[in-house]
Amino acid sequence: GRERKAQAVMTIVLDRLLGTAGILVILIVAMPIAWDDVVARGPRVATITITITSILVGSMLVLAYLAIPSLRAKRREWLDERSHGSRLRARFARTLNGTDEAIVQALTRPVLTAICVFMSVAGHMATIIAFFLFGMALEVQTVDFAEYAALAPMALAVNSIPMPAGGLGFGETFAS
């Protein structure tokens, strides 16, 4: 029972990480193309764009840094020491160790990880294209595709943050 729950948590965390990596790839490609259009929308939009892109890049860099073997060993040792004691602390330590192991497994299989990131990019692009076409069909489209491809991944990233009750409209509010 508990092993299955831990594996489910690891799968979700890894899915979120690879999905975020896919969003980041789209942002890195689309942002230089549409930067002038994004800036033209005003300093608030440009600031939000830079902030979210920086957070995504920073989180990926932190994860890469944490995957360094010597840091992993110290972190695992520290977590193992804390896994004895209260049930909550032990469960937390086991979950973090399992998540760490899932990340390392993903990094030791670079081809499979690259395929997953590519599939994430393809899935996110399909969503972006569908919403863009939906906007065109409703005749409410106010931006060209390059600008939309630069702005939509940020709404997807904000929407992917696990929030209670379906996010309470947080991502939808951001997207508007």
Side-chain angles (χ1 to χ4, degrees), residues 7 10 19-22 40 50 55 64 76 81 84 92 105 108-109 117 127 147 151 166 170 172:
Q7 285 179 336
M10 289 184 288
T20 302
I50 291 169
I55 289 169
R76 299 280 306 229
E81 289 172 6
H84 309 293
F92 184 70
Q105 288 296 322
T108 59
R109 297 181 176 137
V117 170
T127 301
E147 185 178 359
L151 295 173
F170 186 65
E172 290 77 6

Side-chain angles (χ1 to χ4, degrees), residues 16-144:
R16 294 284 179 168
L17 293 174
L18 293 174
T20 302
I23 290 171
L24 185 60
V25 168
I26 295 169
L27 271 173
I28 289 171
V29 171
M31 196 55 65
I33 297 168
W35 181 246
D36 292 336
D37 294 329
V38 171
V39 171
R41 288 185 127 346
R44 189 169 128 201
V45 173
T47 301
I48 291 170
T49 302
I50 291 169
T51 302
I52 290 177
T53 304
S54 299
I55 289 169
L56 290 174
V57 169
S59 63
M60 290 296 153
L61 290 174
V62 166
L63 288 172
Y65 177 72
L66 291 175
I68 296 172
S70 60
L71 291 176
R72 274 192 72 237
K74 289 178 186 176
R75 187 174 60 251
R76 299 280 306 229
E77 182 181 316
W78 186 82
L79 285 169
D80 286 341
E81 289 172 6
R82 276 134 190 90
S83 67
H84 309 293
S86 75
R87 292 173 99 185
L88 181 62
R89 195 167 50 175
R91 188 180 211 179
F92 184 70
R94 279 195 311 272
T95 301
L96 283 179
N97 274 335
T99 302
D100 181 60
E101 191 60 39
I103 291 169
V104 169
Q105 288 296 322
L107 293 175
T108 59
R109 297 181 176 137
V111 173
L112 181 60
T113 301
I115 291 170
C116 289
V117 170
F118 174 77
M119 290 173 62
S120 174
V121 168
H124 288 305
M125 282 305 298
T127 301
I128 290 168
I129 291 167
F131 282 130
F132 182 79
L133 294 175
F134 187 65
M136 286 178 61
L138 293 176
E139 297 179 359
V140 294
Q141 202 66 38
T142 59
V143 297
D144 63 3

